Amino acid sequence: MSATPDLTDAERARILAKSALFNPPAAQLPDGRRDLVGLTREELADELAGIGEKPFRAKQLWHWIYHQGATDFSAMSSIARPLQERLAERFVIGRPGVATVQTSADETRKWLFRFRDGQEAETVYIPDRHEDRGAVCISSQVGCTLSCRFCHTGTQTLVRNLGAAEIVGQFMAARDAYGEWPSPRGETPRLLSTIVLMGMGEPLYNYENVARAMRIVMDGEGIGLSRRRITLSTSGVVPMMDRCGAELGVNLAVSLHAVRDELRDEIVPLNRKYPIAELIAACRRYPGASNARRITFEYIMLRGVNDSEAEARELVRLIAGIPAKVNLIPFNPWPGSDYRPSGREALERFAAIVQSGGFAAPIRMPRGQDILAACGQLRTDSRRTRPAA
Ligand code: SAH
Ligand code: SF4
């Protein structure tokens, strides 16, 4: 059951139009100091110019903040003590606060991060089962305005967008927890080497902040993740998919989940605005899609709802010619959810049909289910502190 069944598209659009109400808190702290995390290089240089420092200082600070992971100016050994002190009077290098952290039996770890205004979002680290590396699943919003029927986050009406500092801050805080910044001997981090924007929220409804955060993460003099190591998952905000491809060029994952508009309208309500044909057309024109960089179609397997052989065949027909793979995700239940996961047999039959259509179709076994960290299980108790209208 969705918590917002009475929201019409028009009402939802009105909420989005008022999205200024959903903005993150300003970079200024109550004590007047400014958080440097989340600023672009140019903005960082401007801040430093404001205290009479030359542009090379921005480069130096960028390196300390994003390459070394420093959170304290006094650790910045290439900067003289008096300047360290002046910086500390005016600026901070922020991190979200850790409200709770839980580690699953399968080593998946979930943080509940608390931001400066008290709002909260979840981040999940998913270690690779076979290799010494893993992915960090990052949230883009507190809650979500879209209310997909199978998604726990969707039962929480949007509280607000996360700011760039909060988005990049989730990754940096996760790196802090694993000691994953370059060691003094120059060893580079390995564990936290991939980002998936698949946590809470619809990243393409918070595009500006997400783009700013991903540009910071991709900057070669800082964290330096290649765009190939970043995957953005969208429920299908078609116009923003074009921008995302042209401007960021990160890997794209599309939450398809149904092959007929009638069913997709019901389980992914955004489909009423951007139906399947438009969504698939946007995938076909997504720049950089190739066999080496395939688009991922996510398909949640709901028992008796979307898991028939006929639907598998229709899926193959729909995506024919797109360099793509299909992730089959057995539905992950959450308290109060009203679907059941497909059985093993249905999963395997569906996968076999998609594979014989020429697409890889791995079945994604849930990770971190015991701590409600699997896909679609994230939800916080954050509430809106002021009315939306
Ligand atoms: N809003 C974006 C990204 C976050 S959701 C999107 O929808 O793509 C990340 C993925 O988890 C999506 O594919 C989503 O459909 C899937 N998901 C949501 N609820 C789920 C559940 N209960 N079980 C399994 N996957 C789920
Ligand atoms: Fe939002 Fe994605 Fe959940 Fe749908 S699946 S409600 S778009 S977070």
Side-chain angles (χ1 to χ4, degrees):
M1 274 290 292
S2 152
T4 55
D6 48 352
L7 265 194
T8 64
D9 274 4
E11 285 164 337
R12 199 171 282 121
R14 220 175 46 235
I15 290 174
L16 285 169
K18 289 184 192 279
S19 61
L21 279 173
F22 299 122
N23 281 344
Q28 203 90 21
L29 271 64
D31 67 8
R33 290 186 299 169
R34 199 188 161 102
D35 190 358
L36 293 182
V37 176
L39 301 183
T40 63
R41 269 171 181 274
E42 296 71 36
E43 288 165 347
L44 181 60
D46 287 348
E47 286 294 332
L48 293 166
I51 60 163
E53 288 298 323
K54 298 226 162 56
F56 82 92
R57 289 287 181 205
K59 197 176 160 74
Q60 239 177 358
L61 270 169
W62 190 272
H63 178 86
W64 280 112
I65 297 171
Y66 294 113
H67 186 75
Q68 301 290 348
T71 51
D72 193 337
F73 295 102
S74 65
M76 300 181 176
S77 52
S78 60
I79 295 177
R81 178 62 53 85
L83 178 55
Q84 287 178 359
E85 283 166 7
R86 277 205 307 137
L87 290 169
E89 278 164 22
R90 290 170 176 79
F91 305 115
V92 296
I93 301 163
R95 290 286 193 272
V98 178
T100 60
V101 50
Q102 288 170 278
T103 306
S104 152
D106 69 11
E107 300 292 309
T108 298
R109 187 174 293 185
K110 180 172 87 170
W111 291 267
L112 174 65
F113 285 121
R114 186 169 297 145
F115 303 106
R116 278 214 303 278
D117 60 354
Q119 300 291 5
E120 296 172 332
E122 292 183 318
T123 305
V124 181
Y125 170 62
I126 311 142
D128 193 294
R129 279 187 214 272
H130 309 292
E131 285 179 63
D132 203 10
R133 57 193 328 149
V136 185
C137 177
I138 286 180
S139 291
S140 56
Q141 299 180 311
V142 178
C144 188
T145 44
L146 301 168
S147 24
C148 301
R149 287 281 296 275
F150 45 78
C151 175
H152 204 195
T153 310
T155 66
Q156 179 181 358
T157 44
L158 178 74
V159 176
R160 67 168 174 81
N161 285 329
L162 291 176
E166 295 167 330
I167 295 168
V168 72
Q170 294 170 61
F171 183 72
M172 295 170 85
R175 275 205 163 168
D176 294 346
Y178 281 86
E180 273 271 302
W181 294 100
S183 72
R185 291 191 307 271
E187 285 155 2
T188 47
R190 287 170 44 86
L191 295 178
L192 280 60
S193 49
T194 305
I195 288 180
V196 292
L197 282 155
M198 296 185 181
M200 302 171 64
E202 169 48 60
L204 294 186
Y205 271 155
N206 184 20
Y207 179 75
E208 299 300 338
N209 288 312
V210 166
R212 182 185 262 263
M214 291 307 110
R215 287 194 182 103
I216 291 173
V217 161
M218 291 191 281
D219 185 295
E221 291 180 25
I223 294 168
L225 283 194
S226 120
R227 62 196 165 85
R228 290 162 206 281
R229 298 216 145 271
I230 300 171
T231 300
L232 181 146
S233 177
T234 180
S235 56
V237 189
V238 165
M240 299 311 289
M241 287 164 65
D242 291 325
R243 263 188 86 184
C244 174
E247 296 176 3
L248 299 178
V250 295
N251 301 326
L252 185 69
V254 173
S255 296
L256 187 61
H257 306 320
V259 292
R260 289 174 289 115
D261 280 323
E262 198 191 3
L263 177 61
R264 197 164 188 272
D265 280 352
E266 186 191 320
I267 64 176
V268 184
L270 184 65
N271 195 68
R272 296 178 209 151
K273 198 162 177 189
Y274 306 113
I276 292 173
E278 281 180 37
L279 176 58
I280 297 294
C283 293
R284 289 190 191 282
R285 56 178 191 263
Y286 193 74
S290 66
N291 277 332
R293 283 190 75 212
R294 291 172 294 176
I295 291 180
T296 304
F297 286 99
E298 289 157 293
Y299 197 94
I300 183 172
M301 295 288 286
L302 305 169
R303 182 184 293 222
V305 175
N306 65 352
D307 61 354
S308 70
E309 294 183 27
E311 281 157 315
R313 283 191 291 275
E314 177 59 14
L315 174 58
V316 170
R317 200 193 61 77
L318 259 183
I319 65 174
I322 301 178
K325 71 167 177 174
V326 177
N327 275 350
L328 298 175
I329 317 170
F331 170 67
N332 292 313
W334 35 271
S337 59
D338 49 11
Y339 293 107
R340 284 187 303 154
S342 301
R344 190 80 227 171
E345 213 177 287
L347 278 165
E348 279 168 7
R349 255 186 297 133
F350 200 100
I353 293 169
V354 177
Q355 277 157 12
S356 62
F359 298 96
I363 297 171
R364 293 286 175 205
M365 289 328 280
R367 303 290 302 275
Q369 229 177 358
D370 53 338
I371 55 167
L372 283 181
C375 296
Q377 293 185 318
L378 306 183
R379 188 189 195 285
T380 68
D381 290 328
S382 284
R383 299 261 184 280
R384 218 175 265 150
T385 47
R386 50 192 168 174

